[in-house]
Amino acid sequence: AGKVAMQYLTFVYGKNSQGGYRIRTENVRMLRDAILRADIPQELDTWWGKMKECIWDECKGDIPKEDEYLLHAALYNPEMPPLVTELLLQLFPSSASKPVPGTTNYPLHIAAATTAYHRHPFEMPYGMDNLHLVLAADKRATKRRSHGRTPLHVCLARGKTWKEIRPLVQVDPSSLTMIDQQTGLVPFQLMASFKITSKENALRYSALIEKQTRDFDMDRLSTKDKALALSKIHKKQDLNQLTCIFELLRRRPSAISRKPSGYATSDSGSLGSSSAISLTSFDSEVGG
């Protein structure tokens, strides 16, 4: 875990007498009170000051180091706990509708491009992930484009699951036929062209493997068991991709009549020749 995750986890959880983890109830109460009141109480001053330092230290974007852009910095981090994001949205409510200065990159675009937080087995469940929290704070951002892409396009280009993108579609159904200006593809076509093992997705693929294998020690597995574990991850990714294509089409069948309008060449190639998964394979996958 990185600095942000450790700052959060060590505050919210502690070791119990059996060597497992327990929730620090009083700390969670203070954190939730801070969210409800949109204010950092004196008891949290030191912890929050350190958290802010950690967020800026791990920020991957070129962002002004000001409180109103702290949310933006946090959303670049895939290890940003949703509870901290919720606190940021309450402390700086106007930040959700502000782009990074000099760009059209809004918090929703940043969250769409960042891998969702993957909680540890001992962590309590979260109601919403970071993408959904930011969406709830600024629903109008679904129509905004950054580098020619809406937040939905960004999600699909990163291969996110239907569960992750469904709220975007629910808020703005018209986005199902919006053309991605980088590729000339509509959403279902963009999802069909996604390839997790492509060169441009190398970092995301590595993060996916790390998160999916977090609950067990890969070094202790035999070569055969390692191959089996990786195979299961690939199959899960493929099924998630197929499910997303199906759901996008189910909600807007007319999109299938849209032809690609010309798009930039990339490692994933064209929709017709090198899509990661064909639509016909979906029928055999589900039918079998």
Side-chain angles (χ1 to χ4, degrees):
K3 293 180 181 179
V4 168
M6 287 302 298
Q7 176 70 2
Y8 169 78
L9 292 172
T10 54
F11 180 74
V12 175
Y13 301 95
K15 285 288 187 74
N16 59 31
S17 57
Q18 286 77 42
Y21 292 89
R22 61 175 178 81
I23 296 176
R24 299 182 191 269
T25 309
E26 180 60 21
N27 288 357
V28 173
R29 183 196 63 76
M30 287 193 294
L31 191 52
R32 292 203 177 278
D33 282 350
I35 292 172
L36 289 172
R37 297 174 182 175
D39 182 63
I40 300 297
Q42 186 176 356
E43 302 93 320
L44 287 181
D45 269 346
T46 301
W47 176 82
W48 180 240
K50 180 63 176 176
M51 174 60 79
K52 289 171 65 175
E53 289 179 13
C54 292
I55 291 174
W56 287 120
D57 285 348
E58 293 190 329
C59 177
K60 299 295 192 296
D62 185 13
I63 299 174
K65 200 170 182 180
E66 302 168 14
D67 279 352
E68 61 184 321
Y69 297 109
L70 189 61
L71 172 67
H72 302 64
L75 292 172
Y76 275 107
N77 191 340
E79 293 193 337
M80 179 58 54
L83 208 58
V84 178
T85 300
E86 193 173 357
L87 178 58
L88 286 167
L89 286 165
Q90 291 300 313
L91 293 175
F92 312 109
S94 64
S95 293
S97 56
K98 289 183 178 180
V100 175
T103 77
T104 54
N105 206 20
Y106 286 81
L108 193 59
H109 293 99
I110 299 172
T114 304
T115 303
Y117 182 78
H118 186 81
R119 67 185 180 92
H120 293 264
F122 58 83
E123 285 186 76
M124 56 187 175
Y126 296 98
M128 294 191 286
D129 63 21
N130 291 331
L131 176 66
H132 302 162
L133 287 167
V134 177
L135 172 63
D138 184 24
K139 293 181 179 180
R140 290 178 298 178
T142 58
K143 295 183 181 297
R144 298 184 183 122
R145 291 181 183 266
S146 180
H147 301 289
R149 285 181 164 168
T150 66
L152 177 60
H153 293 138
V154 176
C155 282
L156 296 171
R158 297 296 190 278
K160 294 205 170 187
T161 67
W162 172 245
K163 181 180 178 181
E164 291 176 277
I165 71 166
R166 179 170 52 193
L168 290 171
V169 174
Q170 291 173 332
V171 167
D172 185 14
S174 67
S175 63
L176 291 169
T177 53
M178 287 184 180
I179 293 175
D180 169 34
Q181 294 176 359
Q182 287 192 28
T183 63
L185 304 177
V186 292
F188 93 88
Q189 295 167 332
L190 188 59
M191 186 75 251
S193 68
F194 177 78
K195 192 174 182 181
I196 188 65
T197 54
S198 67
K199 181 180 177 181
E200 61 190 18
N201 289 316
L203 290 177
R204 176 175 170 79
Y205 178 66
S206 176
L208 175 70
I209 297 298
E210 189 276 328
K211 288 185 176 182
Q212 293 292 328
T213 58
R214 178 182 286 172
D215 299 342
F216 55 90
D217 189 351
M218 285 286 282
D219 293 334
R220 294 187 177 184
L221 297 181
S222 66
T223 302
K224 181 179 179 180
D225 287 338
K226 285 181 182 178
L228 182 61
L230 292 175
S231 176
K232 287 181 177 179
I233 292 172
H234 279 290
K235 286 183 178 180
K236 182 178 180 180
Q237 172 65 28
D238 287 350
L239 186 56
N240 284 338
Q241 186 173 358
L242 288 167
T243 299
C244 192
I245 295 169
F246 172 75
E247 293 292 348
L248 290 168
L249 280 172
R250 187 165 74 89
R251 280 158 175 76
R252 193 59 60 92
S254 60
I256 202 166
S257 64
R258 301 291 291 268
K259 294 182 179 180
S261 60
Y263 49 93
T265 303
S266 68
D267 289 336
S268 59
S270 68
L271 180 65
S273 62
S274 61
S275 297
I277 299 175
S278 70
L279 292 177
T280 53
S281 69
F282 179 76
D283 294 331
S284 59
E285 182 83 20
V286 174

